[in-house]
PDB file of all heavy atoms in Angstrom:
ATOM      1  N   SER A   1       0.857  -1.150   0.024  1.00  0.00           N
ATOM      2  CA  SER A   1       0.003   0.043   0.064  1.00  0.00           C
ATOM      3  C   SER A   1       0.860   1.259   0.001  1.00  0.00           C
ATOM      4  O   SER A   1       0.611   2.228  -0.729  1.00  0.00           O
ATOM      5  CB  SER A   1      -0.857   0.084   1.268  1.00  0.00           C
ATOM      6  OG  SER A   1      -1.863  -1.047   1.159  1.00  0.00           O
ATOM      7  N   GLY A   2       1.969   1.201   0.799  1.00  0.00           N
ATOM      8  CA  GLY A   2       2.806   2.447   0.836  1.00  0.00           C
ATOM      9  C   GLY A   2       3.525   2.667  -0.420  1.00  0.00           C
ATOM     10  O   GLY A   2       3.631   3.818  -0.913  1.00  0.00           O
ATOM     11  N   ASN A   3       3.921   1.621  -1.204  1.00  0.00           N
ATOM     12  CA  ASN A   3       4.527   1.689  -2.438  1.00  0.00           C
ATOM     13  C   ASN A   3       3.602   2.286  -3.427  1.00  0.00           C
ATOM     14  O   ASN A   3       3.972   3.137  -4.269  1.00  0.00           O
ATOM     15  CB  ASN A   3       5.167   0.380  -2.939  1.00  0.00           C
ATOM     16  CG  ASN A   3       5.737   0.388  -4.291  1.00  0.00           C
ATOM     17  OD1 ASN A   3       5.120   0.192  -5.254  1.00  0.00           O
ATOM     18  ND2 ASN A   3       7.116   0.719  -4.317  1.00  0.00           N
ATOM     19  N   ALA A   4       2.380   1.827  -3.388  1.00  0.00           N
ATOM     20  CA  ALA A   4       1.293   2.311  -4.328  1.00  0.00           C
ATOM     21  C   ALA A   4       1.021   3.736  -4.169  1.00  0.00           C
ATOM     22  O   ALA A   4       0.646   4.478  -5.178  1.00  0.00           O
ATOM     23  CB  ALA A   4       0.103   1.460  -4.177  1.00  0.00           C
ATOM     24  N   THR A   5       1.080   4.310  -3.021  1.00  0.00           N
ATOM     25  CA  THR A   5       0.779   5.663  -2.734  1.00  0.00           C
ATOM     26  C   THR A   5       2.046   6.620  -2.903  1.00  0.00           C
ATOM     27  O   THR A   5       1.876   7.817  -2.686  1.00  0.00           O
ATOM     28  CB  THR A   5       0.199   5.942  -1.371  1.00  0.00           C
ATOM     29  OG1 THR A   5       1.151   5.417  -0.350  1.00  0.00           O
ATOM     30  CG2 THR A   5      -1.122   5.152  -1.174  1.00  0.00           C
ATOM     31  N   GLY A   6       3.214   6.013  -3.243  1.00  0.00           N
ATOM     32  CA  GLY A   6       4.316   6.831  -3.483  1.00  0.00           C
ATOM     33  C   GLY A   6       5.120   7.094  -2.192  1.00  0.00           C
ATOM     34  O   GLY A   6       5.908   8.025  -2.192  1.00  0.00           O
ATOM     35  N   ASN A   7       4.907   6.374  -1.108  1.00  0.00           N
ATOM     36  CA  ASN A   7       5.537   6.710   0.178  1.00  0.00           C
ATOM     37  C   ASN A   7       7.053   6.358  -0.069  1.00  0.00           C
ATOM     38  O   ASN A   7       7.432   5.245  -0.421  1.00  0.00           O
ATOM     39  CB  ASN A   7       5.023   5.652   1.269  1.00  0.00           C
ATOM     40  CG  ASN A   7       5.479   6.105   2.635  1.00  0.00           C
ATOM     41  OD1 ASN A   7       6.631   6.397   2.813  1.00  0.00           O
ATOM     42  ND2 ASN A   7       4.608   6.134   3.590  1.00  0.00           N
ATOM     43  N   PRO A   8       7.946   7.397   0.170  1.00  0.00           N
ATOM     44  CA  PRO A   8       9.388   7.059  -0.061  1.00  0.00           C
ATOM     45  C   PRO A   8      10.054   5.975   0.802  1.00  0.00           C
ATOM     46  O   PRO A   8      11.019   5.424   0.369  1.00  0.00           O
ATOM     47  CB  PRO A   8       9.957   8.399   0.218  1.00  0.00           C
ATOM     48  CG  PRO A   8       9.017   9.169   1.161  1.00  0.00           C
ATOM     49  CD  PRO A   8       7.678   8.714   0.632  1.00  0.00           C
ATOM     50  N   ALA A   9       9.346   5.751   1.930  1.00  0.00           N
ATOM     51  CA  ALA A   9       9.866   4.516   2.788  1.00  0.00           C
ATOM     52  C   ALA A   9       9.861   3.191   2.033  1.00  0.00           C
ATOM     53  O   ALA A   9      10.557   2.313   2.451  1.00  0.00           O
ATOM     54  CB  ALA A   9       9.077   4.512   4.098  1.00  0.00           C
ATOM     55  N   TYR A  10       8.939   3.081   1.008  1.00  0.00           N
ATOM     56  CA  TYR A  10       8.815   1.864   0.280  1.00  0.00           C
ATOM     57  C   TYR A  10       8.988   1.968  -1.176  1.00  0.00           C
ATOM     58  O   TYR A  10       8.436   1.337  -1.965  1.00  0.00           O
ATOM     59  CB  TYR A  10       7.344   1.328   0.567  1.00  0.00           C
ATOM     60  CG  TYR A  10       7.011   1.092   1.975  1.00  0.00           C
ATOM     61  CD1 TYR A  10       5.996   1.688   2.576  1.00  0.00           C
ATOM     62  CD2 TYR A  10       7.726   0.209   2.779  1.00  0.00           C
ATOM     63  CE1 TYR A  10       5.668   1.635   3.933  1.00  0.00           C
ATOM     64  CE2 TYR A  10       7.473   0.138   4.135  1.00  0.00           C
ATOM     65  CZ  TYR A  10       6.445   0.712   4.775  1.00  0.00           C
ATOM     66  OH  TYR A  10       6.254   0.547   6.044  1.00  0.00           O
ATOM     67  N   ALA A  11       9.845   2.967  -1.475  1.00  0.00           N
ATOM     68  CA  ALA A  11      10.039   3.408  -2.921  1.00  0.00           C
ATOM     69  C   ALA A  11      10.490   2.190  -3.798  1.00  0.00           C
ATOM     70  O   ALA A  11      10.116   1.986  -4.873  1.00  0.00           O
ATOM     71  CB  ALA A  11      10.899   4.485  -3.063  1.00  0.00           C
ATOM     72  N   ASN A  12      11.420   1.371  -3.263  1.00  0.00           N
ATOM     73  CA  ASN A  12      12.030   0.321  -4.074  1.00  0.00           C
ATOM     74  C   ASN A  12      11.638  -1.094  -3.473  1.00  0.00           C
ATOM     75  O   ASN A  12      12.494  -2.029  -3.640  1.00  0.00           O
ATOM     76  CB  ASN A  12      13.506   0.502  -4.066  1.00  0.00           C
ATOM     77  CG  ASN A  12      13.884   1.765  -4.717  1.00  0.00           C
ATOM     78  OD1 ASN A  12      13.450   2.112  -5.811  1.00  0.00           O
ATOM     79  ND2 ASN A  12      14.772   2.616  -4.038  1.00  0.00           N
ATOM     80  N   SER A  13      10.583  -1.167  -2.738  1.00  0.00           N
ATOM     81  CA  SER A  13      10.276  -2.368  -2.047  1.00  0.00           C
ATOM     82  C   SER A  13       9.217  -3.376  -2.839  1.00  0.00           C
ATOM     83  O   SER A  13       9.044  -4.455  -2.424  1.00  0.00           O
ATOM     84  CB  SER A  13       9.585  -2.019  -0.703  1.00  0.00           C
ATOM     85  OG  SER A  13      10.489  -1.343   0.044  1.00  0.00           O
ATOM     86  N   VAL A  14       8.732  -2.917  -3.932  1.00  0.00           N
ATOM     87  CA  VAL A  14       7.782  -3.721  -4.761  1.00  0.00           C
ATOM     88  C   VAL A  14       8.295  -3.777  -6.214  1.00  0.00           C
ATOM     89  O   VAL A  14       8.518  -2.752  -6.843  1.00  0.00           O
ATOM     90  CB  VAL A  14       6.352  -3.180  -4.663  1.00  0.00           C
ATOM     91  CG1 VAL A  14       5.397  -4.126  -5.555  1.00  0.00           C
ATOM     92  CG2 VAL A  14       5.804  -3.075  -3.304  1.00  0.00           C
ATOM     93  N   VAL A  15       8.396  -4.950  -6.839  1.00  0.00           N
ATOM     94  CA  VAL A  15       8.752  -5.205  -8.253  1.00  0.00           C
ATOM     95  C   VAL A  15       7.557  -5.696  -8.921  1.00  0.00           C
ATOM     96  O   VAL A  15       6.930  -6.635  -8.579  1.00  0.00           O
ATOM     97  CB  VAL A  15       9.987  -6.079  -8.371  1.00  0.00           C
ATOM     98  CG1 VAL A  15      10.225  -6.324  -9.790  1.00  0.00           C
ATOM     99  CG2 VAL A  15      11.237  -5.529  -7.599  1.00  0.00           C
ATOM    100  N   ARG A  16       7.099  -4.996 -10.105  1.00  0.00           N
ATOM    101  CA  ARG A  16       6.002  -5.364 -10.842  1.00  0.00           C
ATOM    102  C   ARG A  16       6.494  -5.623 -12.280  1.00  0.00           C
ATOM    103  O   ARG A  16       7.490  -5.247 -12.779  1.00  0.00           O
ATOM    104  CB  ARG A  16       4.940  -4.291 -10.902  1.00  0.00           C
ATOM    105  CG  ARG A  16       4.368  -3.899  -9.538  1.00  0.00           C
ATOM    106  CD  ARG A  16       3.334  -2.725  -9.628  1.00  0.00           C
ATOM    107  NE  ARG A  16       2.772  -2.432  -8.357  1.00  0.00           N
ATOM    108  CZ  ARG A  16       1.735  -2.941  -7.878  1.00  0.00           C
ATOM    109  NH1 ARG A  16       0.982  -3.754  -8.619  1.00  0.00           N
ATOM    110  NH2 ARG A  16       1.295  -2.526  -6.747  1.00  0.00           N
ATOM    111  N   ASP A  17       5.668  -6.497 -12.950  1.00  0.00           N
ATOM    112  CA  ASP A  17       5.891  -6.747 -14.373  1.00  0.00           C
ATOM    113  C   ASP A  17       5.191  -5.664 -15.309  1.00  0.00           C
ATOM    114  O   ASP A  17       4.667  -4.683 -14.768  1.00  0.00           O
ATOM    115  CB  ASP A  17       5.418  -8.156 -14.767  1.00  0.00           C
ATOM    116  CG  ASP A  17       3.920  -8.444 -14.662  1.00  0.00           C
ATOM    117  OD1 ASP A  17       3.187  -7.357 -14.568  1.00  0.00           O
ATOM    118  OD2 ASP A  17       3.510  -9.595 -14.589  1.00  0.00           O
ATOM    119  N   ALA A  18       5.309  -5.951 -16.566  1.00  0.00           N
ATOM    120  CA  ALA A  18       4.778  -4.939 -17.516  1.00  0.00           C
ATOM    121  C   ALA A  18       3.200  -4.695 -17.324  1.00  0.00           C
ATOM    122  O   ALA A  18       2.690  -3.703 -17.703  1.00  0.00           O
ATOM    123  CB  ALA A  18       5.064  -5.387 -18.933  1.00  0.00           C
ATOM    124  N   ASN A  19       2.515  -5.662 -16.800  1.00  0.00           N
ATOM    125  CA  ASN A  19       1.144  -5.504 -16.498  1.00  0.00           C
ATOM    126  C   ASN A  19       0.638  -5.133 -15.166  1.00  0.00           C
ATOM    127  O   ASN A  19      -0.442  -5.259 -14.732  1.00  0.00           O
ATOM    128  CB  ASN A  19       0.439  -6.897 -16.930  1.00  0.00           C
ATOM    129  CG  ASN A  19       0.521  -7.366 -18.329  1.00  0.00           C
ATOM    130  OD1 ASN A  19       0.479  -6.491 -19.205  1.00  0.00           O
ATOM    131  ND2 ASN A  19       0.943  -8.595 -18.575  1.00  0.00           N
ATOM    132  N   ASN A  20       1.692  -4.655 -14.382  1.00  0.00           N
ATOM    133  CA  ASN A  20       1.564  -4.183 -13.089  1.00  0.00           C
ATOM    134  C   ASN A  20       1.238  -5.237 -11.994  1.00  0.00           C
ATOM    135  O   ASN A  20       0.853  -5.005 -10.933  1.00  0.00           O
ATOM    136  CB  ASN A  20       0.341  -3.160 -12.936  1.00  0.00           C
ATOM    137  CG  ASN A  20       0.874  -1.739 -13.141  1.00  0.00           C
ATOM    138  OD1 ASN A  20       2.147  -1.420 -12.797  1.00  0.00           O
ATOM    139  ND2 ASN A  20       0.044  -0.669 -13.387  1.00  0.00           N
ATOM    140  N   ASN A  21       1.402  -6.494 -12.431  1.00  0.00           N
ATOM    141  CA  ASN A  21       1.295  -7.606 -11.501  1.00  0.00           C
ATOM    142  C   ASN A  21       2.596  -7.763 -10.572  1.00  0.00           C
ATOM    143  O   ASN A  21       3.717  -7.499 -11.095  1.00  0.00           O
ATOM    144  CB  ASN A  21       1.141  -8.966 -12.216  1.00  0.00           C
ATOM    145  CG  ASN A  21      -0.129  -9.015 -13.011  1.00  0.00           C
ATOM    146  OD1 ASN A  21      -1.141  -8.658 -12.475  1.00  0.00           O
ATOM    147  ND2 ASN A  21      -0.044  -9.383 -14.251  1.00  0.00           N
ATOM    148  N   ILE A  22       2.472  -7.897  -9.358  1.00  0.00           N
ATOM    149  CA  ILE A  22       3.520  -7.893  -8.413  1.00  0.00           C
ATOM    150  C   ILE A  22       4.368  -9.178  -8.538  1.00  0.00           C
ATOM    151  O   ILE A  22       3.842 -10.283  -8.519  1.00  0.00           O
ATOM    152  CB  ILE A  22       3.040  -7.738  -6.940  1.00  0.00           C
ATOM    153  CG1 ILE A  22       2.434  -6.357  -6.788  1.00  0.00           C
ATOM    154  CG2 ILE A  22       4.196  -7.911  -5.930  1.00  0.00           C
ATOM    155  CD1 ILE A  22       1.847  -6.180  -5.330  1.00  0.00           C
ATOM    156  N   LEU A  23       5.671  -9.071  -8.725  1.00  0.00           N
ATOM    157  CA  LEU A  23       6.585 -10.228  -8.782  1.00  0.00           C
ATOM    158  C   LEU A  23       7.113 -10.489  -7.388  1.00  0.00           C
ATOM    159  O   LEU A  23       7.203 -11.600  -6.968  1.00  0.00           O
ATOM    160  CB  LEU A  23       7.654 -10.021  -9.809  1.00  0.00           C
ATOM    161  CG  LEU A  23       7.169  -9.613 -11.196  1.00  0.00           C
ATOM    162  CD1 LEU A  23       8.411  -9.332 -12.185  1.00  0.00           C
ATOM    163  CD2 LEU A  23       6.442 -10.905 -11.762  1.00  0.00           C
ATOM    164  N   THR A  24       7.682  -9.432  -6.754  1.00  0.00           N
ATOM    165  CA  THR A  24       8.313  -9.604  -5.429  1.00  0.00           C
ATOM    166  C   THR A  24       8.098  -8.495  -4.552  1.00  0.00           C
ATOM    167  O   THR A  24       7.807  -7.369  -5.035  1.00  0.00           O
ATOM    168  CB  THR A  24       9.910  -9.879  -5.503  1.00  0.00           C
ATOM    169  OG1 THR A  24      10.375  -8.699  -6.135  1.00  0.00           O
ATOM    170  CG2 THR A  24      10.145 -11.092  -6.308  1.00  0.00           C
ATOM    171  N   VAL A  25       8.121  -8.661  -3.250  1.00  0.00           N
ATOM    172  CA  VAL A  25       8.008  -7.672  -2.199  1.00  0.00           C
ATOM    173  C   VAL A  25       9.145  -7.796  -1.355  1.00  0.00           C
ATOM    174  O   VAL A  25       9.738  -8.826  -0.968  1.00  0.00           O
ATOM    175  CB  VAL A  25       6.684  -7.815  -1.335  1.00  0.00           C
ATOM    176  CG1 VAL A  25       6.705  -6.807  -0.203  1.00  0.00           C
ATOM    177  CG2 VAL A  25       5.504  -7.664  -2.265  1.00  0.00           C
ATOM    178  N   ASN A  26       9.803  -6.568  -0.874  1.00  0.00           N
ATOM    179  CA  ASN A  26      10.972  -6.639  -0.002  1.00  0.00           C
ATOM    180  C   ASN A  26      10.414  -6.120   1.363  1.00  0.00           C
ATOM    181  O   ASN A  26      10.020  -5.059   1.508  1.00  0.00           O
ATOM    182  CB  ASN A  26      12.035  -5.676  -0.472  1.00  0.00           C
ATOM    183  CG  ASN A  26      13.314  -5.771   0.296  1.00  0.00           C
ATOM    184  OD1 ASN A  26      13.485  -6.654   0.932  1.00  0.00           O
ATOM    185  ND2 ASN A  26      14.095  -4.728   0.129  1.00  0.00           N
ATOM    186  N   SER A  27      10.625  -6.917   2.384  1.00  0.00           N
ATOM    187  CA  SER A  27      10.090  -6.610   3.750  1.00  0.00           C
ATOM    188  C   SER A  27      11.188  -7.108   4.725  1.00  0.00           C
ATOM    189  O   SER A  27      10.815  -7.951   5.609  1.00  0.00           O
ATOM    190  CB  SER A  27       8.718  -7.298   3.972  1.00  0.00           C
ATOM    191  OG  SER A  27       8.207  -6.913   5.262  1.00  0.00           O
TER     192      SER A  27
END
């Protein structure tokens, strides 16, 4: 949720493919 809203704390924590499907999360 934080990555989706542009929160800088989670700026590089979610990797998506070309269709916006999530591939990995960093926690």
Side-chain angles (χ1 to χ4, degrees):
S1 297
N3 178 267
T5 59
N7 191 317
Y10 304 119
N12 300 309
S13 298
V14 177
V15 177
R16 297 177 181 269
D17 63 17
N19 296 319
N20 266 339
N21 297 310
I22 294 177
L23 300 176
T24 59
V25 174
N26 186 19
S27 185

